[in-house]
Amino acid sequence: MTLAAERSVGAGSIRLWRGDITRLAVDVIVNAANSQLAGGRGVDGAIHRAAGPALLHELRTRYPQGCPTGAAVLTGAHALPARWVAHAVGPRWIGGDGGEDALLASAYRTALALAAANGCATVAAPSISTGVYGFPVGRAAPVALAAAAAALAEPGTPLRTITFALFSAEDLAVYTAALTALPDPTA
Ligand code: AR6
């Protein structure tokens, strides 16, 4: 994996990488799901295609009620090289005054808490909500990175690396600038 950027936080680090998240052999990949957990377009579609139909079957069986916006659920990774998938539901952008930042932070926080509760060290996440859901990437990046930094700064966490898998050069540039500007959560 050729990293584009890396920053230490506590005993771990946040990494930025450009590419397809479905290729990453980490403990947990985070999915940008919808609240029906029904699969869809974007990274969700890519994850379901790569995992195979058993992923949708597991979601329907274990979480028939779906998952609220701002939360996440964990499944196996099936045919993916990762071990688990945390299906996080980010908010749809509705202009910025509808609590979108808090819901986005909560989606990352819940997914990372599930990874930590399962003893995981390595997580990869996409830029949740900035595709189909229309959240501006320049506003989402600091929220996503702050949530990752807070999870790595938790005393006793098993988390060691959180890799953001960015799909475009533009998104990678935005996340790189936001990572440089990120306040140190342990300072
Ligand atoms: N690896 C990493 N990032 C990716 C990949 C990939 N393989 N494919 C796309 N992206 P989106 P959302 C990027 O639309 O905005 C679905 O229909 C993409 O370029 O996947 O949270 C769900 O079912 C963008 O930067 O997720 C929901 O209904 C980022 O992933 C809805 O879309 C997120 O874009 C969720 O919308």
Side-chain angles (χ1 to χ4, degrees):
M1 185 196 297
T2 310
L3 295 178
E6 180 163 19
R7 184 161 161 190
S8 297
V9 180
S13 67
I14 295 174
R15 298 174 172 184
L16 305 184
W17 176 77
R18 183 174 170 204
D20 178 355
I21 198 168
T22 65
R23 292 174 41 207
L24 296 178
V26 290
D27 292 327
V28 177
I29 62 170
V30 178
N31 183 16
N34 52 62
S35 58
Q36 294 77 38
L37 302 175
R41 297 190 284 145
V43 69
D44 195 9
I47 286 173
H48 276 271
R49 276 193 300 280
L55 178 60
L56 191 58
H57 185 258
E58 181 180 355
L59 283 165
R60 286 189 174 142
T61 307
R62 293 182 60 196
Y63 307 107
Q65 73 287 8
C67 176
T69 301
V73 299
L74 200 65
T75 66
H78 302 279
L80 288 159
R83 292 170 65 200
W84 286 292
V85 180
H87 304 263
V89 183
R92 281 191 176 78
W93 180 255
I94 53 169
D97 295 329
E100 293 100 311
D101 302 279
L103 286 168
L104 183 63
S106 173
Y108 280 108
R109 196 165 52 239
T110 316
L112 294 167
L114 286 170
N118 282 274
C120 297
T122 56
V123 177
S127 180
I128 296 172
S129 286
T130 65
V132 172
Y133 281 178
F135 203 123
V137 65
R139 183 149 154 183
V143 174
L145 293 168
L152 289 167
E154 282 275 320
T157 183
L159 296 175
R160 289 295 174 270
T161 64
I162 300 173
T163 302
F164 283 88
L166 287 326
F167 216 41
S168 69
E170 293 75 16
D171 288 354
L172 177 60
V174 170
Y175 271 74
T176 301
L179 186 60
T180 304
L182 185 72
D184 182 347
T186 57

